[in-house]
Amino acid sequence: MKENFLKQGFTKLDRLIPDVEVENLRKLYDELLNDRKRTAGLRSDLGGKGDSKANVEKITQIMRPSMIEPKLSSNIAYTLALDHVRDMLGVDMELDFDMLINKAPQTSTPTPWHQDAAYWIKMPDKRSASCWIALDEVYEDNGCMWFIPKENEQIKPHKHYTEGGALYCEADLSIAKSVPLKAGGCTFHDGFTLHFSKGNTTNSQRRALILNFRPKKMIELERSQGVDHTGERKIRNK
Ligand SMILES: O=C(O)CCC(=O)C(=O)O
């Protein structure tokens, strides 16, 4: 896992957490998804504003969900993911933020190709890892992750894909790889690794919990600049 992560900027683990913990997380996850009041301010549609009258979220993103539901971060997933990340990137790695990204049934909205670092401020220490945990079985048609092996630590030019929606950049799709997973499995990707997921064209939800890790000193730097990953979605790094 470490060799793959360091060489290509992503890797996968078929099983991070047992089924019973997947079930515990699903319960908390669905409560948050169904509670617009508690999640207000941290919640948005990665698919963009679209027809605001319809009020249908295509890709629900809830930032820092463990701030409103602390039971989430006592789940073993947080400890296990951190252990793997420390093995791969060093013992000074810490959780920076968590988020939920749900693709509702039949919403057919891709998460466009992007590098996470485009959303972040510039940081002198560029180590980072996002652990993307599948809470449902994921495959191409419901929106499993796709990656392009990382070549360097340059940020490509990004734009907003739709008004208020996710950022995107051009990518060479000929070398993209999809990573299907069973529920409880996960991928890890670096902030400079290009990634994407197709829209969900199935009749079930596609629930993912994402934990982002970086060096403790870089989290302190972000916080000193007012960045805590609850703010607006924008290009911070060019
Ligand atoms: O869940 C998705 O569709 C996209 C996730 C993503 O972009 C990320 O975890 O950085």
Side-chain angles (χ1 to χ4, degrees), residues 3-4 12 18 34 37 60 68 79 88 92 99 102-103 116 128 137 143 153 158 164 166 174-175 204 206 211-212:
E3 201 184 315
N4 276 339
K12 76 159 177 166
N34 293 328
K37 219 162 147 192
T60 306
I68 40 181
T79 316
M88 295 191 292
D92 58 337
M99 62 180 168
N102 180 57
K103 293 199 165 189
D116 292 336
S128 71
E137 181 171 0
E153 297 194 331
H158 282 68
S174 66
I175 45 170
S204 315
R206 190 236 59 183
L211 310 181
N212 181 273

Side-chain angles (χ1 to χ4, degrees), residues 46 59 99 101-103 110-112 114 116 119 130-132 143-145 189 195-198 206 208 210:
L46 256 186
I59 312 175
M99 62 180 168
I101 300 187
N102 180 57
K103 293 199 165 189
T111 308
H114 67 282
D116 292 336
Y119 286 99
S130 281
C131 177
W132 189 100
C144 71
M145 291 284 269
H189 66 270
H195 55 285
F196 152 93
S197 68
K198 288 189 177 181
R206 190 236 59 183
I210 297 119

